[in-house]
């Protein structure tokens, strides 16, 4: 996640790996909506490149679009612990569009804090 902001939106990059060998790589925009100092609701959208078709799941096209909603608690050091739900879809650009959902627990650390841990 970037600190750069264009109006209310921030750019971000994403990479996900799944235990069955699937991968998702993409970039998009997000918006942090604060409820007080601690709680943050973050909707985001990102086109992603998907690889790893299996017999159990074929998303129908290499280009997928991820929509996500995350609710997180923000700590004093600006790290966050949250839960998110994502939906992946190819927007019917493939022959089929089954889509898939993910429910994740997230822990985010600001890059400045991460580099301090290794000094």
């Amino acid at each position: 996640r970037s600190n750069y902001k264009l109006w209310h939106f921030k750019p971000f990059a994403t990479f996900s790996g799944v235990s069955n060998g699937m991968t998702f790589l993409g970039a998009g925009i997000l918006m942090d909506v604060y409820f007080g100092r601690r709680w943050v609701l973050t909707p985001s959208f990102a086109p992603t490149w998907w690889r790893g078709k299996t017999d159990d799941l074929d998303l129908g096209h290499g280009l997928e679009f991820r929509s996500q909603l995350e609710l997180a608690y923000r700590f004093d050091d600006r790290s966050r612990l949250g839960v998110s739900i994502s939906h992946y879809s190819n927007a019917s650009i493939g022959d089929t569009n089954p889509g898939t959902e993910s429910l994740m627990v997230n822990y985010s650390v600001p890059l400045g804090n991460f580099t301090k841990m290794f000094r």
Side-chain angles (χ1 to χ4, degrees), residues 66-115:
R66 186 195 84 174
S67 304
Q68 179 172 291
L69 190 61
E70 177 184 10
L71 179 63
Y73 181 84
R74 190 171 98 156
F75 297 98
D76 287 338
D77 66 357
R78 297 180 51 233
S79 65
R80 299 179 186 184
L81 178 63
V83 63
S84 64
I85 186 163
S86 302
H87 173 73
Y88 290 86
S89 169
N90 67 34
S92 296
I93 59 175
D95 294 336
T96 62
N97 185 21
T100 190
E101 286 74 34
S102 300
L103 179 63
M104 298 174 280
V105 174
N106 306 307
Y107 181 66
S108 303
V109 179
L111 188 56
N113 294 4
F114 184 74
T115 57

